Amino acid sequence: MFILSNSATPLYVSWQRDIGFSQSTLTWIFAVYIVGLLASLLVSGPLSDRIGRKPVLLPALALSLISCAIFLSASSVTALIMARLLTGISVGAIVSCGMAAVADIAGPHRKKLAALLSSSAMVFGSGVGPLFSGIVAEVMAAPIIPVFSVVLALILVSFALVGKMPLHSRRQAGPLVRVPGVPRKAFVHLILAIAVFAPGLSGTSFFLSLGPSLLYEITGNVSTAIAGILVFLTFASATGVQFAAQRFSPGRLLAIGVASTAMGMVMLFSAVTISSSVMIFVAATFIGAGQGAGQLAGFTLLNLIIPSTRLAEANSALSVGAYVPAATLSLIAGRVSDATSIETSAITLSVILIIIAAFSAAAIFLFRRRIKQ
């Protein structure tokens, strides 16, 4: 599912050439994905806690198949927007319900392992998708059909996997749809997780939507393979830091996340200032590490403190709290890019996220004892 979420990223340059749309329109296409994801998170998490995981996962996979079919034949901005919207809806269900399903299967004694495996699958798949599509686009004149045919086949396999998962049906009292939240004892943990996860996610969202375009502006030429490698590097770093730091406490992971995001934005600011393509890749590495550490810390904190009966809802609350500012900042970056330049957009985002990271670091220090409880 997460391979699908970003597979289109290196292909937008081709769609821009064939269809014709601006950088601002491109960020809107990405933002529509987040709108679908947020709408899904508001429903799928609480719903799966009440009726079970499979009744939510299987329809989500069905929507992703429709999304692939639309991508295969897309010839307009409207088609791209619809495909991204359906992708966001399906991925939202996987973020909340799917990650909770992994925790259910792992059992109460392997909660940290469940958080590691589900979180790393999320970021690694997000990086593999654009790497794969970027390489295919580089070696094939018509990459759309092979890319999304492979993704469609993977999703069909997922149907079989979900069908075999030892997940039991559940019927709990309470409304089927409500604003996701957490128990009062976990509120501080949720806020701290959002404070670190959101800036890192905002940085990786920038690289997903405008990173290849920024690289093109600095170098004057960038292949789809290089664009895919740039995005892959971001998420490979997010994956690597999760496995490297898996034995760290959630508090230390939060500190690593906020420090990495801040350093990544400093590097991005410097890369634009001196027009260095190498430093863009360095910035992507740090920003990816920031998202990876913050994301793992957040889901681990929730896995350790939230009961299974509300875990998918808690996952939704964390994801909504992170994706809303990420979507907002991505739209701002797109508008600034159209109004001025993509370099100015990158500098503006860097300054904003460095300031946010400073406040997040202060919050982690202030509530460090609460995290250890």
Side-chain angles (χ1 to χ4, degrees):
M1 281 301 304
F2 289 104
I3 288 175
L4 168 64
S5 69
N6 292 334
S7 287
T9 298
L11 307 178
Y12 285 119
V13 174
S14 298
W15 276 315
Q16 276 185 300
R17 182 186 62 245
D18 297 338
I19 300 172
F21 51 87
S22 66
Q23 296 292 352
S24 180
T25 300
L26 180 57
T27 56
W28 274 106
I29 292 172
F30 276 88
V32 164
Y33 162 82
I34 297 181
V35 169
L37 184 144
L38 290 173
S40 177
L41 288 170
L42 291 173
V43 176
S44 58
L47 184 63
S48 73
D49 284 338
R50 282 156 183 75
I51 69 172
R53 310 302 186 204
K54 289 185 182 181
V56 175
L57 289 174
L58 291 173
L61 290 170
L63 286 179
S64 68
L65 289 174
I66 297 173
S67 172
C68 281
I70 296 174
F71 272 127
L72 282 167
S73 58
S75 59
S76 67
V77 171
T78 302
L80 293 176
I81 287 175
M82 181 58 66
R84 287 294 287 173
L85 178 65
L86 293 179
T87 301
I89 293 171
S90 10
V91 170
I94 302 300
V95 169
S96 57
C97 176
M99 298 182 83
V102 174
D104 291 347
I105 294 170
H109 302 298
R110 294 187 294 179
K111 291 184 175 182
K112 291 187 71 174
L113 177 61
L116 171 65
L117 294 180
S118 54
S119 181
S120 60
M122 178 176 173
V123 291
F124 187 67
S126 297
V128 167
L131 177 66
F132 168 63
S133 60
I135 292 174
V136 172
E138 188 69 20
V139 300
M140 301 183 69
I144 307 297
I145 291 178
V147 167
F148 288 103
S149 295
V150 169
V151 176
L152 190 147
L154 291 174
I155 296 170
L156 287 173
V157 173
S158 298
F159 269 102
L161 294 175
V162 171
K164 293 292 185 180
M165 284 183 178
L167 299 168
H168 304 291
S169 300
R170 60 179 74 188
R171 287 290 185 273
Q172 297 185 36
L176 293 180
V177 179
R178 68 178 184 184
V179 177
V182 296
R184 182 174 298 179
K185 67 176 182 178
F187 184 73
V188 170
H189 299 76
L190 175 65
I191 295 302
L192 290 176
I194 291 173
V196 179
F197 184 20
L201 184 63
S202 299
T204 55
S205 296
F206 174 84
F207 273 91
L208 274 171
S209 58
L210 298 179
S213 298
L214 177 62
L215 195 60
Y216 177 83
E217 288 296 323
I218 289 178
T219 63
N221 183 32
V222 60
S223 67
T224 55
I226 295 299
I229 289 171
L230 175 65
V231 176
F232 174 75
L233 178 63
T234 306
F235 289 100
S237 175
T239 306
V241 76
Q242 292 188 6
F243 281 95
Q246 61 179 294
R247 298 185 183 277
F248 290 173
S249 67
R252 183 171 294 184
L253 281 171
L254 288 173
I256 292 173
V258 74
S260 297
T261 298
M263 181 59 71
M265 301 320 294
V266 169
M267 292 293 178
L268 180 60
F269 185 99
S270 302
V272 173
T273 303
I274 65 174
S275 298
S276 170
S277 58
V278 173
M279 288 193 69
I280 289 181
F281 284 88
V282 175
T285 302
F286 276 102
I287 291 170
Q291 180 194 329
Q295 178 179 305
L296 178 60
F299 285 115
T300 300
L301 281 170
L302 297 182
N303 270 14
L304 293 175
I305 199 170
I306 303 293
S308 174
T309 54
R310 292 193 63 182
L311 184 56
E313 180 183 353
N315 289 342
S316 292
L318 171 59
S319 299
V320 168
Y323 276 100
V324 166
T328 302
L329 288 174
S330 292
L331 287 175
I332 292 173
R335 284 299 185 92
V336 172
S337 177
D338 281 350
T340 56
S341 66
I342 194 169
E343 292 89 347
T344 302
S345 175
I347 290 173
T348 302
L349 182 68
S350 298
V351 172
I352 292 173
L353 290 183
I354 289 170
I355 294 172
I356 293 174
F359 281 102
S360 299
I364 294 170
F365 179 79
L366 184 62
F367 292 102
R368 64 191 184 282
R369 293 182 180 178
R370 184 77 65 88
I371 302 173
K372 295 179 180 179
Q373 293 178 356

